[in-house]
Structures are given as C-alpha cells and as structure tokens.
C-alpha cells in the first residue's frame, strides 16, 4: 500500500458532505490502515477506510443525524448522515473495539490520495474464514491522468 504524503496528525477533523455531522478522530495507525473490502456492502459503498479505537472518535455535531445500518449478522454498525447520505464510520465486526472511518470525511483527504489500497477479502468474513487463509483479495490502484491535474 502506498501512504499519501499528507503530514501525520494526532487528531483529524472530519465531516460528512453537507457538514451536518462533524467529528474528530485519532487514528490507531495513522493512514497506514487504509483499506477497502469486497463484501457485498463495501463493494456498493466504495469507501476507503482507516482505523480508530472506539474511544478515539468524538462526534462534535450532528449525533442525532447519524443513521445506523446493519445487515446479515447485525454485528457491524454502519453510520451515515441522514441528510446527505454519506457513510462516516462503522464499528467493525472483525474488531468491535475499533471504528473504520471513511477517509473521504477526513479534512483535506481523498481516497484518490492513495496510489494503491489493499482490498480485504470480505466475501468470507475474517471471523468466518479458516485460520491462515489470506485476508487480502487484491489491490485497488489509482494513477492520476497528468492531462487533467490542476496545480
């Protein structure tokens, strides 16, 4: 995985698209935990997520606008803004002591800041797969078109 050249921060400010939901987050491994997943939900959602411990995310505005979505085992808790529909973060099934945070919600960040992102094998959840089997399904790569970049 390629980590973007953004300076490492201790605390990130984050928001949904419309700004109704605003939160601060301390990432457990900085941007090094960036990943995608190929489970049925993540394939459709398409977000790049980074990890934060449960105690390290603080909703500063819009708690009442967060809507919960759960499916299948109902263990993971996916939160999104009820106004603009943007996925903000989710409590992970594979590690219920952590949130996955939508990197696009982090101030100044974009999923296109990463040249390569590992894609976790989510069609067979890590909690349901035999020990020792690979967790990486593949890699998602992004290369900017030099003809369309702006400075």
């Amino acid at each position: 995985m390629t980590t973007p050249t953004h300076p490492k921060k201790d605390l990130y400010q984050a928001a949904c698209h419309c700004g109704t939901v605003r939160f601060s987050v301390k990432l457990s491994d900085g941007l090094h935990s960036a990943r995608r997943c190929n489970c049925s939900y993540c394939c459709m959602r398409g977000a790049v997520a980074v990890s934060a411990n449960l105690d390290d995310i603080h909703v500063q505005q819009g708690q009442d606008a967060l809507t919960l979505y759960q499916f299948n085992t109902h263990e993971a808790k996916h939160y999104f803004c009820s106004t603009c529909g943007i996925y903000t973060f989710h409590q992970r099934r594979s590690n219920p002591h952590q949130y996955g945070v939508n990197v696009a919600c982090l101030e100044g960040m974009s999923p296109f800041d990463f040249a390569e992102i590992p894609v976790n094998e989510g069609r067979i959840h890590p909690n349901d797969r035999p020990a020792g089997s690979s967790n990486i399904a593949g890699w998602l790569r992004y290369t900017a078109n030099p003809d369309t970049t702006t400075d």
Side-chain angles (χ1 to χ4, degrees):
M1 180 194 74
T2 307
T3 304
T5 57
H6 291 276
K8 184 179 181 202
K9 295 181 180 181
D10 288 330
L11 192 66
Y12 289 83
Q13 297 303 311
C16 64
H17 187 261
C18 69
T20 298
V21 177
R22 295 187 181 278
F23 58 100
S24 62
V25 60
K26 178 183 175 191
L27 303 179
S28 58
D29 191 23
L31 299 172
H32 298 286
S33 63
R35 69 213 176 268
R36 296 256 326 241
C37 175
N38 69 356
C39 77
S40 62
Y41 185 62
C42 291
C43 277
M44 294 182 95
R45 178 175 66 195
V48 171
V50 287
S51 295
N53 294 322
L54 292 185
D55 293 340
D56 290 336
I57 191 165
H58 302 283
V59 177
Q60 299 160 327
Q61 174 185 308
Q63 179 75 42
D64 58 334
L66 284 172
T67 299
L68 172 65
Y69 175 69
Q70 293 179 283
F71 69 102
N72 196 14
T73 65
H74 294 268
E75 292 177 52
K77 297 175 182 173
H78 303 269
Y79 295 96
F80 60 95
C81 174
S82 61
T83 303
C84 65
I86 293 298
Y87 149 68
T88 53
F89 50 86
H90 72 284
Q91 187 173 3
R92 298 171 57 199
R93 177 181 174 215
S94 59
N95 184 346
H97 304 291
Q98 284 190 330
Y99 283 118
V101 178
N102 181 354
V103 100
C105 290
L106 301 179
E107 189 175 275
M109 293 290 308
S110 163
F112 303 110
D113 292 335
F114 299 85
E116 183 177 78
I117 296 287
V119 178
N120 289 347
E121 178 53 72
R123 294 170 295 192
I124 302 172
H125 194 274
N127 292 350
D128 302 331
R129 137 170 81 245
S133 60
S134 179
N135 188 41
I136 302 295
W139 292 265
L140 186 66
R141 293 182 176 94
Y142 175 77
T143 305
N145 180 352
D147 294 338
T148 62
T149 57
T150 58
D151 291 326

